[in-house]
Amino acid sequence: MKKSVMLLMACVVILSYGATAQKFNVGTYNMRNDNNKEDSIAGNGWKQRFPVIASLIAFHDFDIFGTQECMYHQLEDIKGSLQGYDFIGVGRDDGKQAGEHSAIFYKTSKFKLLKKGDFWMSAITDKPNKGWDAVLPRICSWGEFKEIKTGFTFYFFNLHMDHIGVVARAESAKLVLAKIKEMTGGKPVILTGDFNVDQTSDSYAILHTSGVLEDAYETTAIRYALNGTFNAFKTDSKTDSRIDHIFLTKQFKVSRYGILTDTWRSKRPEGANPETNGNFPKEVRMSKYVAREPSDHFPVIATVEYSK
């Protein structure tokens, strides 16, 4: 009788968890800024890429995601190409719209924005400036969100660390951790971004071994990551370095993690060349195009779960 009661209680606990467990898709995507004329010359211009990026986001069903490098007009292009999303974040150059953003996009039907803000990764956090040995001003944007359906509340931080300053990256990691501890009151936290360091770096370890945050790549149940996260617009490149990360507090469980290596095709300058091959039916029409990446970084997605 006692064993039966214990078994019944265990079943109730399991069913209760299953009934209250919720999930949503988190992403991070460095979309490449629109300041490089060389990109357009090479066929990787923003006007060619952003419809592909928007389609990728819609198909993979990103619920909330951090972006890096986008200028304000790029953010507006993405927003205008997606239904039901809004974004937060300011430009790093003036705290308004000038310069690159570390913006956060979210589904307005799924999440309500409660609070938002931005800070510069520097000893002076409340105005545009360069910190430590960074060569550019670097900003972190954040929001407190409530999932409308469940009332679940969490914080989302998104950043882009300096690509040169070694000290700046380490100090930025420490600063973000300090801000999370100071601001969030122990609530669940998601941190995304282009950290410009891979999983072997000391700056990465500051976050992953902090006891506050963990890399979703390491904690996921299912992992799809056949490449690192930087591609330099080279479809035939390969790296094991992951410089774009999703970190989470322990209130979240990760059921799926993926580095999405989707590509697209554009016409060759001389025009598409028809292909013929006896190995496929004559009804099939194939042409030689140029394989391209939507950005010089691959997007990262994680399905996160929590229970209320």
Side-chain angles (χ1 to χ4, degrees), residues 4-284:
S4 298
V5 171
M6 290 178 66
L7 181 61
L8 179 61
M9 290 175 65
C11 290
V12 169
V13 170
I14 293 169
L15 289 172
S16 175
Y17 177 82
T20 59
Q22 306 290 327
K23 63 182 180 180
F24 54 85
N25 293 328
V26 175
T28 186
Y29 202 170
N30 182 322
M31 297 183 183
R32 176 72 165 178
N33 67 66
D34 191 22
N35 286 338
N36 297 281
K37 293 182 180 179
E38 295 81 4
D39 289 351
S40 294
I41 294 170
N44 296 313
W46 176 247
K47 290 183 179 179
Q48 288 73 42
R49 296 189 293 110
F50 85 76
V52 181
I53 289 174
S55 294
L56 184 155
I57 291 166
F59 180 79
H60 289 287
D61 197 24
F62 286 45
D63 292 310
I64 186 167
F65 59 98
T67 67
Q68 301 85 41
E69 288 203 14
C70 286
M71 315 300 286
Y72 186 76
H73 73 274
Q74 293 179 271
L75 299 171
E76 286 291 305
D77 285 339
I78 293 296
K79 180 180 175 180
S81 301
L82 295 171
Q83 290 187 351
Y85 287 83
D86 202 356
F87 67 87
I88 58 172
V90 299
R92 69 187 187 188
D93 291 355
D94 66 352
K96 297 177 183 177
Q97 293 184 4
E100 295 181 9
H101 293 58
S102 293
I104 301 166
F105 276 81
Y106 62 98
K107 287 182 179 177
T108 56
S109 62
K110 193 173 185 71
F111 303 107
K112 180 180 180 181
L113 177 66
L114 301 179
K115 291 188 289 188
K116 65 177 180 177
D118 315 89
F119 58 87
W120 279 261
M121 289 184 286
S122 168
I124 303 169
T125 61
D126 61 350
K127 64 181 181 180
N129 71 108
K130 292 183 286 187
W132 305 287
D133 58 346
V135 298
L136 294 166
R138 297 292 181 174
I139 195 169
C140 179
S141 294
W142 62 270
E144 183 182 11
F145 295 90
K146 180 172 74 172
E147 191 174 34
I148 295 169
K149 181 179 178 181
T150 65
F152 176 73
T153 303
F154 64 97
Y155 281 82
F156 195 113
F157 291 76
N158 179 56
L159 57 76
H160 187 184
M161 287 189 181
D162 200 67
H163 63 303
I164 298 294
V166 176
V167 174
R169 290 194 291 260
E171 292 300 320
S172 294
K174 295 174 186 176
L175 174 64
V176 170
L177 277 175
K179 288 287 188 181
I180 288 171
K181 292 175 183 178
E182 171 193 331
M183 293 168 53
T184 65
K187 288 183 178 179
V189 174
I190 298 167
L191 169 64
T192 65
D194 174 358
F195 292 78
N196 270 314
V197 292
D198 73 5
Q199 61 274 20
T200 66
S201 164
D202 291 341
S203 298
Y204 167 91
I206 289 171
L207 296 167
H208 180 57
T209 63
S210 63
V212 178
L213 298 165
E214 293 180 302
D215 184 357
Y217 174 94
E218 297 292 348
T219 62
T220 188
I222 298 173
R223 182 186 300 138
Y224 178 72
L226 305 181
N227 207 329
T229 65
F230 184 68
N231 61 63
F233 285 125
K234 296 177 180 179
T235 56
D236 58 355
S237 66
K238 175 73 170 69
T239 180
D240 293 324
S241 292
R242 293 178 284 107
I243 63 174
D244 304 87
H245 304 290
I246 298 173
F247 291 99
L248 305 160
T249 52
K250 292 181 179 180
Q251 293 98 327
F252 292 105
K253 292 184 178 180
V254 187
S255 58
R256 295 189 315 141
Y257 171 99
I259 298 172
L260 305 179
T261 56
D262 303 41
T263 60
W264 64 290
R265 304 292 183 270
S266 70
K267 289 184 177 180
R268 294 172 177 266
E270 68 275 13
N273 299 318
E275 260 190 43
T276 56
N277 191 313
N279 292 328
F280 55 76
K282 64 180 181 179
E283 290 82 5
V284 175

